[in-house]
Amino acid sequence: MTSSNAVRARRMNVCSPGTIQDLSQLVSLGSPENLGGKTLGGRPEIFTRVDFRAGPMTAGLFMATRGRVEVTFPFTEHATILEGEVTLTDESGQTHTYRPGDSYFIQQGQVVIWEVHCERVIKSFFNIAEGFAG
């Protein structure tokens, strides 16, 4: 097989708690209101890096700074906290604090209070949007 016909191997993205993430590739999304969130406390800012997108699926990194935000999730998400600490409270009042290595699953349409307790929280995420038209 010649080099022009070779399939290029894709590099694996490794996101593990305790490893340094390249934050220079994160893009600012501004305030949570820019994504339909409602700030309840502080002055949180949000950032993302998209590593994969295909139809309704998206995966990458997400970072949020200190603050409290109400979010109606526009997609179903599985995420793992890589750095920082965040407390999620669902509509029923169930609350859980997530730290590096912890994962959660939230279904599209759920209303969640997202509270970052430290300078920032970084998560690795995989999302899928039901009813995606595009």
Side-chain angles (χ1 to χ4, degrees):
M1 181 183 290
T2 65
S3 62
S4 62
N5 294 332
V7 175
R8 262 188 123 162
R10 294 183 187 204
R11 205 179 107 212
M12 201 170 34
N13 286 344
V14 177
C15 297
S16 301
T19 61
I20 306 278
Q21 297 301 316
D22 181 2
L23 302 182
S24 70
Q25 296 178 3
L26 293 175
V27 174
S28 174
L29 301 176
S31 74
E33 281 74 10
N34 293 337
L35 290 181
K38 178 181 176 186
T39 299
L40 304 175
R43 298 177 57 89
E45 293 182 63
I46 55 177
F47 305 81
T48 192
R49 180 186 86 201
V50 174
D51 296 325
F52 173 82
R53 179 171 286 154
M57 298 177 291
T58 307
L61 291 182
F62 177 90
M63 181 175 81
T65 61
R66 185 186 313 266
R68 190 168 190 249
V69 177
E70 181 180 287
V71 179
T72 300
F73 269 71
F75 38 68
T76 295
E77 174 174 84
H78 180 272
T80 300
I81 302 300
L82 301 175
E83 177 185 316
E85 184 175 293
V86 62
T87 298
L88 303 183
T89 304
D90 69 15
E91 295 170 286
S92 73
Q94 179 181 340
T95 297
H96 187 83
T97 298
Y98 297 88
R99 294 175 180 87
D102 293 338
S103 298
Y104 64 80
F105 176 81
I106 296 175
Q107 292 184 333
Q108 184 171 330
Q110 281 186 272
V111 177
V112 174
I113 304 295
W114 168 275
E115 187 169 5
V116 178
H117 302 285
C118 48
E119 178 185 343
R120 67 184 182 211
V121 67
I122 299 173
K123 68 180 180 181
S124 172
F125 69 86
F126 180 83
N127 298 332
I128 187 163
E130 297 173 44
F132 175 80

